[in-house]
Amino acid sequence: MEQTLVEGVIEEIIYKNEANGYTVCEISSGSKFITAVGYMPFINEGETIKANGRWERHPDYGDQFRVEMYEKILPHTADAIEKYLASGIIRGVGPVTARKIVERFGASALDVISNEPGRLAEIRGISFAKAMDIGRVLNEQKGLQEVVMFLQEYGVSPSVCIKIYRAYGDKSVAMIRENPYRLCEDVFGIGFRTADRIAMKLGVDPASLFRIKSGIRYILAHAASNGHTYLPETMLRQYTAQLLGIPDDGIEDALVSLMFDRAIYTEKTEEGCNVYLAAFHTAETGVCKRLLALSRTSHAGDLEDLEEKIREFEQNEGIQLDPRQREAVREAMMNGVMVITGGPGTGKTTIIKCILGLLAHYGCRAALAAPTGRAAKRMTEATGHEAKTIHRLLEIGYTDDESEPVFQRNEANPLEADAVIIDETSMVDIMLMYHLLKAVPSGSRLILVGDADQLPSVGPGSVLHDIISCSGIRTVRFTEIFRQAEESLIIVNAHRINRGEAPILNAKDKDFFFLPRSGQESILRTVIDLCARRLPDTYGLDPMKDIQVLSPTKKGPAGVANLNVELQKALNPQDGKKAEKVTRGHILREGDRVMQVRNNYSLRWEKPGNAGIDGTGVFNGDMGTVVQIDDEEMKVSVQFDDDRLVVYDYSILDELEPAFAVTVHKSQGSEFPVVVMPIFPGPEVLMTRNLLYTAVTRAKEMVVLVGDEDVLLRMVGNKRETLRYSGLADKLKNFAAYADII
């Protein structure tokens, strides 16, 4: 059937898929009413569109117009403009405001909004700020339309189109035509394959140097998202050839060109050659140099009465430090860099408190920090000294580029501290450690505290493990459990698991339970019942605040994705009063638990009730609760667990995921009163001892495991650790050896 042009007003939207823009609507065209179907994101009732497409007959619904391309046409009459503005097309403008605008400006209303938005403030009830915002949104809609039209045939979702427009503005289409591969680097939500599909349709040569260079950069960036700071060159070549469908011999020129551009760096090793993205090579080298420089500073000459002050601390606290603890305190006070590692209940907090007291005695200023808000809050409560997140300690600043942080504390403006103590260091990735070390003043003490047996950081690198394994940085490891900690089976079993021993299950009057269940459906039902009924009824727990479900995987009936669907039904069902929003295939509802799933350095926050306390930056793993969904303003407000309130535009809701259940990896650095964990068969590479150990150590008061005991025992016996390509340990060894030679 040949193409037809249809023009008319959208009278009713019958169905709309918010995720991809697929729409069924009724259009009035002259005296006829037409049912139109197709991908038409951002259209609203009252708008006029011009659409190209074909007629087709549906067996149930009769004649329909299948839209292939469309564009919006702005209305010209006062009545049509009022209907258009009242449709919700502009955030914050409803029927009442639309009527006021048209009554004031008539058929010129849209011209005024677009070109002289400040004049809207002449209308009572519209502030100047709101007037400018209305103008900005209308003009954004015009520019966005061009992007949507250009990208609609490539399957790019409406929400991602908004991000592209906000990244590139009115130059969006021109910049995409110039280099479509920049999309997968600049815009969260677009992968290489989508960018490559656009490039192929734009006529980019599949064997072009341009495409191969983009493919290499993508492979290295994807490897970083899986924790690697580099890839062996042979592996990089293999992955690139598979991704692009080209022979291996076409990759050499691209590698040389990227090295010439300083986009990548290579390092020769005995095994071959390692290839880094420039940022990770710079970070690894910088961390190595700064750690070694700090470690070569000795403070022993300033500590004449150290032993006496340690004894005073023991008397004041009513404790007796064992020889290992006493050694850790001495070493931390005397050395430039010190690592304190050990599992739960081994006295790390006691050591920190002792060190803080000694630092105060010697007139040293101490700065305390941890990677997450939860960990910083816990550190504050345990030591009695204020601890900040590392980002806040470094005074993260506002930037229009969300991909990179801007820290006010750096080499030129170092921290005003004589000692920096970092807790939960196992969570710190190579980039954050690099920024931290740039801000630590020369001659200061750096004390790194963490559990080296936990899972490595979500971000690239294996920082704590590499520092310990290089043997060049002074490290004290604690393995003995304090007597009072032995009363907790959580702590006892964590250490048993870490030693490869079976945990003690279901001891009377203890805090560690195992409920045997067969099959994921049975496990799922039990987990839901525990969270919704049994644990709250028995222990008076709040299921939304006190209980966290952790799962090894995302997929399957007892995986995170399905658990979140079922837990939402049980814990926060629709009651007709809570607003909700469909996004990324799930329903977001007021009252839901959610998690931020990427670092967004420019997202603003404030702390209500604390005047003047605000800032920027929300980070991967931060958890909170949806407190408001505002369809008119197209915003979602989230109250995070550290009391920060963040307002999300609808276009960035893909940065939030449901968090009734989260993966064990995502739980790092957090502590919950009660942890419930399903145990079911999974890939050997995933079902490991340190994953189980990490999950158990997230619980403060109770652990409940549900599932297959044989799988549990296999996890305890599976010491396999996921391989991470990280060069920090080798750099520390090599740089230290070189320094000793010269």
Side-chain angles (χ1 to χ4, degrees):
M1 211 176 237
E2 65 181 39
Q3 273 207 339
T4 305
L5 179 66
V6 167
E7 183 176 332
V9 177
I10 298 168
E11 297 293 342
E12 181 183 2
I13 293 178
I14 300 167
Y15 169 80
K16 179 186 285 188
N17 184 323
E18 296 286 353
N20 61 20
Y22 183 81
T23 304
V24 179
C25 63
E26 191 171 77
I27 299 173
S28 64
S29 180
S31 59
K32 292 188 291 185
F33 284 86
I34 297 168
T35 299
V37 299
Y39 294 94
M40 294 175 279
F42 308 120
I43 64 168
N44 293 271
E45 293 175 2
E47 291 186 297
T48 301
I49 67 167
K50 184 186 291 184
N52 284 293
R54 304 175 190 275
W55 287 99
E56 62 183 24
R57 178 171 289 276
H58 191 280
D60 297 323
Y61 304 113
D63 290 339
Q64 294 182 335
F65 186 70
R66 172 71 59 178
V67 175
E68 295 176 358
M69 297 285 288
Y70 81 98
E71 63 177 315
K72 295 182 183 180
I73 300 173
L74 291 177
H76 301 291
T77 68
D79 287 345
I81 290 172
E82 182 178 339
K83 190 172 184 180
Y84 171 75
L85 292 175
S87 68
I89 187 67
I90 299 177
R91 183 171 59 240
V93 177
V96 174
T97 304
R99 186 176 304 113
K100 289 180 179 179
I101 292 173
V102 173
E103 285 176 352
R104 178 70 179 81
F105 298 110
S108 302
L110 293 182
D111 288 334
V112 171
I113 294 173
S114 183
N115 301 313
E116 302 176 273
R119 290 187 60 193
L120 295 178
E122 298 171 11
I123 300 171
R124 187 174 182 180
I126 299 180
S127 66
F128 182 78
K130 183 174 182 179
M132 298 305 292
D133 191 49
I134 290 171
R136 179 187 60 78
V137 172
L138 180 65
N139 288 323
E140 185 178 89
Q141 289 284 342
K142 293 177 183 177
L144 183 59
Q145 178 72 14
E146 182 186 12
V147 179
V148 171
M149 293 302 98
F150 178 66
L151 293 175
Q152 63 182 341
E153 63 179 295
Y154 304 112
V156 179
S157 71
S159 61
V160 173
C161 285
I162 293 174
K163 289 186 177 183
I164 293 171
Y165 180 77
R166 289 186 177 168
Y168 306 138
D170 292 336
K171 298 178 181 177
S172 295
V173 172
M175 294 182 76
I176 294 169
R177 287 186 183 278
E178 177 190 342
N179 179 8
Y181 294 105
R182 73 195 316 152
L183 290 171
C184 57
E185 297 179 18
D186 297 344
V187 182
F188 178 68
I190 290 192
F192 180 84
R193 296 188 187 281
T194 298
D196 196 42
R197 189 165 64 248
I198 295 171
M200 294 300 96
K201 290 194 176 184
L202 290 174
V204 174
D205 182 355
S208 69
L209 185 67
F210 179 68
R211 179 173 184 251
I212 298 171
K213 286 168 66 175
S214 297
I216 290 170
R217 290 169 65 109
Y218 168 75
I219 292 291
L220 290 172
H222 184 69
S225 71
N226 288 319
H228 307 295
T229 59
Y230 71 84
L231 283 180
E233 184 180 346
T234 53
M235 185 179 293
L236 174 62
R237 286 173 175 268
Q238 176 188 346
Y239 288 165
T240 304
Q242 289 175 351
L243 175 72
L244 302 180
I246 60 172
D248 180 84
D249 56 12
I251 298 172
E252 180 67 29
D253 289 346
L255 286 170
V256 172
S257 179
L258 285 167
M259 284 188 279
F260 183 78
D261 296 339
R262 296 186 178 179
I264 64 171
Y265 282 82
T266 60
E267 284 186 355
K268 299 290 184 182
T269 67
E270 293 181 1
E271 292 77 23
C273 182
N274 300 331
V275 185
Y276 288 79
L277 283 173
F280 298 124
H281 186 268
T282 299
E284 251 187 26
T285 304
V287 167
C288 173
K289 290 179 178 179
R290 285 170 169 79
L291 273 177
L292 291 175
L294 286 169
S295 70
R296 295 183 186 280
T297 301
S298 173
H299 301 276
D302 305 326
L303 308 172
E304 294 179 1
D305 56 349
L306 178 60
E307 294 299 329
E308 179 185 341
K309 291 303 172 184
I310 293 175
R311 286 193 295 273
E312 284 184 14
F313 171 80
E314 291 175 317
Q315 292 171 359
N316 293 336
E317 295 291 321
I319 61 172
Q320 177 87 36
L321 298 179
D322 66 25
R324 195 71 169 157
Q325 292 174 316
R326 188 176 290 271
E327 176 194 3
V329 172
R330 279 197 302 266
E331 295 286 351
M333 294 300 297
M334 295 186 339
N335 286 284
V337 181
M338 174 72 182
V339 176
I340 299 172
T341 185
T346 56
K348 297 192 299 294
T349 300
T350 300
I351 299 304
I352 294 174
K353 289 173 69 175
C354 183
I355 292 169
L356 286 169
L358 292 169
L359 289 169
H361 168 72
Y362 292 110
C364 298
R365 298 164 298 177
L368 280 66
T372 68
R374 278 176 175 263
K377 184 177 181 180
R378 195 165 67 246
M379 193 181 189
T380 299
E381 293 169 348
T383 64
H385 290 71
E386 183 191 11
K388 302 176 180 179
T389 63
I390 297 175
H391 289 88
R392 187 174 162 220
L393 178 72
L394 299 180
E395 298 177 17
I396 190 168
Y398 180 78
T399 170
D400 291 330
D401 180 3
E402 297 179 7
S403 63
E404 289 294 332
V406 174
F407 293 115
Q408 309 305 314
R409 294 290 182 174
N410 49 39
E411 311 98 314
N413 182 31
L415 296 167
E416 296 171 3
D418 303 301
V420 178
I421 304 175
I422 305 297
D423 198 9
E424 295 282 3
T425 308
S426 63
M427 288 187 63
V428 180
D429 63 34
I430 192 67
M431 296 304 299
L432 187 56
M433 181 59 77
Y434 178 52
H435 287 296
L436 172 67
L437 290 179
K438 285 198 294 183
V440 175
S442 298
S444 294
R445 295 176 178 85
L446 176 66
I447 301 166
L448 304 175
V449 184
D451 188 345
D453 294 314
Q454 288 188 24
L455 292 169
S457 59
V458 174
S462 189
V463 174
L464 182 62
H465 182 271
D466 284 356
I467 292 173
I468 293 172
S469 66
C470 81
S471 303
I473 302 297
R474 189 70 183 95
T475 300
V476 174
R477 179 186 288 269
F478 296 124
T479 56
E480 296 297 319
I481 308 173
F482 273 152
R483 186 175 303 151
Q484 60 267 35
E486 290 179 345
E487 298 177 5
S488 169
L489 260 191
I490 295 174
I491 292 175
V492 170
N493 279 338
H495 286 269
R496 289 179 66 89
I497 290 166
N498 204 29
R499 293 193 299 265
E501 301 171 9
I504 300 167
L505 304 176
N506 299 329
K508 188 176 180 182
D509 299 326
K510 290 294 183 179
D511 52 11
F512 197 104
F513 302 96
F514 181 82
L515 303 181
R517 295 292 185 273
S518 179
Q520 288 197 50
E521 291 294 344
S522 176
I523 294 171
L524 172 67
R525 290 194 299 272
T526 302
V527 169
I528 301 299
D529 189 43
L530 281 166
C531 295
R533 186 182 64 84
R534 291 173 62 176
L535 290 174
D537 289 354
T538 305
Y539 298 98
L541 298 169
D542 182 342
M544 303 294 282
K545 296 180 179 178
D546 300 328
I547 304 172
Q548 183 62 54
V549 178
L550 305 180
S551 181
T553 68
K554 291 184 178 181
K555 298 179 180 179
V560 164
N562 190 56
L563 276 166
N564 274 312
V565 172
E566 298 303 322
L567 285 166
Q568 185 192 49
K569 291 177 185 176
L571 301 179
N572 190 34
Q574 177 57 276
D575 60 4
K577 299 177 183 177
K578 301 168 188 166
E580 57 185 44
K581 166 74 176 168
V582 177
T583 175
R584 292 186 66 195
H586 59 259
I587 298 172
L588 198 63
R589 183 174 296 144
E590 289 176 347
D592 278 353
R593 292 287 293 165
V594 291
M595 174 182 280
Q596 175 80 9
V597 295
R598 69 178 290 248
N599 289 338
N600 186 325
Y601 299 105
S602 64
L603 197 54
R604 300 195 68 82
W605 55 263
E606 63 178 21
K607 290 195 174 183
N610 291 276
I613 299 182
D614 58 11
T616 59
V618 184
F619 306 106
N620 191 359
D622 288 352
M623 297 176 70
T625 302
V626 177
V627 293
Q628 184 181 35
I629 297 176
D630 189 331
D631 251 340
E632 184 171 313
E633 294 289 335
M634 292 187 279
K635 294 182 183 295
V636 172
S637 299
V638 176
Q639 186 87 49
F640 283 92
D641 292 344
D642 57 1
D643 299 326
R644 289 173 301 159
L645 181 68
V646 179
V647 180
Y648 288 78
D649 187 88
Y650 275 5
S651 65
I652 59 170
L653 289 184
D654 56 354
E655 297 185 11
L656 291 174
E657 286 186 356
F660 296 100
V662 300
T663 62
V664 178
H665 285 81
K666 287 287 190 182
S667 73
Q668 289 172 259
S670 296
E671 186 178 69
F672 312 100
V674 177
V675 164
V676 177
M677 182 180 181
I679 304 290
F680 54 88
E684 183 180 351
V685 68
L686 185 65
M687 308 299 284
T688 61
R689 179 187 300 175
N690 69 336
L691 182 135
L692 179 62
Y693 172 79
T694 301
V696 167
T697 55
R698 298 308 89 206
K700 185 177 181 181
E701 298 172 10
M702 186 187 302
V703 170
V704 185
L705 306 179
V706 182
D708 188 324
E709 188 170 352
D710 288 339
V711 173
L712 175 65
L713 296 177
R714 285 200 297 273
M715 290 181 74
V716 173
N718 182 9
K719 198 176 179 180
R720 177 174 180 172
E721 294 184 14
T722 303
L723 173 66
R724 281 201 170 192
Y725 292 112
S726 170
L728 179 60
D730 287 338
K731 283 184 175 65
L732 285 166
K733 292 174 186 175
N734 295 335
F735 273 72
Y738 176 75
D740 289 339
I741 291 172
I742 62 174

